[in-house]
Amino acid sequence: RDDLRIVVMSATLDGERLATFLDAPRLSSAGRSYPVEIAHFPARREEAIEHQTKRAIEQALVTHPGDVLVFLPGQREIAHVERLLAAALPAAGELLFPQSGHPAPIRARARHGAHDATPQPPTSQLADVDVLPLHGELPLEQQTRVLQPATDGRRRVVLATNVAESSVTLPGVRVVIDSGLAREPRFDPNSGFARLDVVSISQASADQRAGRAGRVAEGFAYRLWPQSQRLEPQRRPEIAQVELASLALELAAWGSDALRFVDPPPPGALAAARDLLQRLDALDGNRVITARGRRMLALGTHPRLAAMLLASDDPSRIALACDLAALIEARDPLRSRSDALAERWQALAAFRNGRVGADANRSALAAIDAASKQWRRRLRCNAHPPADVPAHDLGDLLAHAFPDRIARQHPQDAKRYQLANGRMAKLFDDSAVHGEPWLVASELRFEARDALLLRAAPVDEAYLRQAFAAHFHEGDEVRWDAGRRALASERIARFDGIVLSSKPAGRVDPALAARALTDAVRDLGLTALPWTEALSQWRVRVQCLRAWMPELGLPDLSDAALLSSLDAWLMPAFAGKTRLDALDESALAEALKSAVDWNLRQRIDQLAPTRIDVPSGMQRAIAYALDDHGEPASPVLAVKLQELFGLAQTPRIAGGRIALTIHLLSPGGRPLQVTQDLAGFWERTYPEVRKEMKGRYPRHPWPDDPWNAVATHRAKPRGT
């Protein structure tokens, strides 16, 4: 297709970087726009963003003509600002701007380098103003209303998320108020949970938002962050901060992930996605796509929902799964804070029978019903959803979408649940699913200690034992008991990461003991091992030589490297041992040195010796050390000055690459000089040292010519 041209268009992407990546020409168009004046509207001390936004709106309405577009992080902040503005709306009042279009005069003064409004506008300032929210969860008719120009002459204040940043044009907007914040997804592969975080926007987004004020005429933009604050040039790419199960499944279907990504997916998030796909039976043990995985991919939805939609051959259960998929994908049809998914499905069933409760949103339920019908058509399911089902039927199906979020009630705390992925979760105080022995969570909010269960349904244990039989297992486990500082052996029954029961086991299995002791060191740290000074110095010597002479290919013996490879070098040393203190110094030394062959060990001793011959005929120790950043410090030779008479050049190690730092000591062992330039010391500094020390240590030699004097470690005989 020589005639085919593909154009990548964006107002916020880094065009130069993308053009370089694609090896494509870059075309730039500024578009039609008018000048926009930008000012930073300062917050008051400890003022919430919503209150600062309200003040900025009031200032904009009395200072500038036209509609006002306000960017806020999300629905929560939009609702809060709506309430604040509603409280300020008078019952009646005259238009802020008469037909002349000139605003009433208002004084302003500079504060902190920003435009700050000082007057207190009258309550009539918000009269004849429509306050309209705009976000992706609104019904289509409400969004359409916002996108249409006002026909009655009333001014509008549009409270929007970043959906208004570049995808839509709002007529009549002359003022933009930008909070500088957005709510974006963040996926934590360590917890397996995604969360929405409020983050600062990029400079590209800030420029794009401000530009909305200059679409129809000259405009004005208030920024609600300090002028001194610097924003990142571009926003973080979505692939770097979201859950990647869908991408991982597509890569598996293609048979390779050796693709050129503009921004490569994070390894941790991709590994977590593949683990999830294995739980969903979309990938086999070798992470190759299964036949089920290909069927899931063909459905074109998230693998979790696809697994649930394919979980049953029973037409009525398929229809129920379609309802659940539609509910999970849609906005919440209930206005209550209830965490019971069953209440949402019951509201949907009531809607189909012509009954809509006071707590339900009719338009949302209609959209969910339509989505469910569409899913049934795609799955060629002619059955209708049942009129009523037990709550655990919903959970039984939901378990196929969220097998990692199947949860069992904690035996000592009825509000806490252990999840199949090993994490803990807790219920609301007024939870509607309180008391259920087993749950499956469709929505969780990440918390530092226990995740919060936002939406869940009960699941039947008997069904789990039938449908997820391979996930139930029982066996002996050995763990480190930190209190007793000993191993504990137990027979434990589990459902994935959930402990169902435990009881003491008999003799400790040696293989399990070695792993448990290794895990104990992983938790306690390397200081739990029996280090000797000689072994610690050998380790430092290897680290120094690794930096000084990389051609030797010495292993990395840093704390991080050793802890990440404990299974390889330390676990074999624990073979046959059942106590941590059973590992002695010699066994630890041999384990640490196992990665270095005999010939290389000899080279280490030659190139980074522990001791060095000095002119007095004695051997003196060399001390090696690393700095706070793990880099080699200069090795130190501490020696009495008289032992180096006649030595002109500073001793060197590592094949002559590294000069020793010499600590020249007095006969009493106190430092006289620290130097790496021994010749310079004899030439310039020694005469002063000799003059000062000769009277203090008369029984030790202080020759005029140290270059040719005989080195000694002894004092003169008495009487000489």
Side-chain angles (χ1 to χ4, degrees), residues 323-345:
D323 277 357
L324 283 174
L327 278 166
I328 291 169
E329 288 185 313
R331 62 191 177 97
D332 192 350
L334 297 186
R335 298 183 180 91
S336 71
R337 204 185 72 160
S338 170
D339 55 359
L341 187 66
E343 291 184 19
R344 275 85 186 155
W345 184 85

Side-chain angles (χ1 to χ4, degrees), residues 297-336:
L297 185 62
L299 288 179
T301 188
H302 192 281
R304 287 188 184 275
L305 298 186
M308 179 179 67
L309 291 166
L310 298 176
S312 177
D313 295 327
D314 182 342
S316 64
R317 288 180 65 81
I318 295 174
L320 186 58
C322 291
D323 277 357
L324 283 174
L327 278 166
I328 291 169
E329 288 185 313
R331 62 191 177 97
D332 192 350
L334 297 186
R335 298 183 180 91
S336 71

Side-chain angles (χ1 to χ4, degrees), residues 188-193 195 279 404-408 410 416-426 444-453 494-499:
D188 178 10
N190 295 320
S191 68
F193 300 151
R195 62 184 186 273
R279 283 179 179 267
D404 52 326
R405 298 183 188 175
I406 296 170
R408 180 175 182 261
H410 193 282
R416 296 184 74 210
Y417 283 76
Q418 187 173 18
L419 300 168
N421 62 10
R423 298 274 301 181
M424 297 297 296
K426 62 183 177 183
L444 288 154
R445 186 169 74 210
F446 176 80
E447 302 284 349
R449 183 169 179 261
D450 293 344
L452 187 62
L453 278 157
R494 290 181 178 273
F495 174 79
D496 282 352
I498 300 173
V499 175

Side-chain angles (χ1 to χ4, degrees), residues 584-598:
D584 59 22
E585 294 91 341
S586 61
L588 175 61
E590 188 54 39
L592 186 66
K593 296 179 180 181
S594 61
V596 181
D597 64 35
W598 187 87

Side-chain angles (χ1 to χ4, degrees), residues 73 126 128 151 257 274 344 382 438 448 470 485 518 528 555 657 710:
L126 291 177
D128 297 298
T151 58
D257 57 0
R274 286 168 173 152
R344 275 85 186 155
N382 297 321
W438 288 83
R485 292 192 62 80
T518 304
R657 298 183 191 183
V710 177

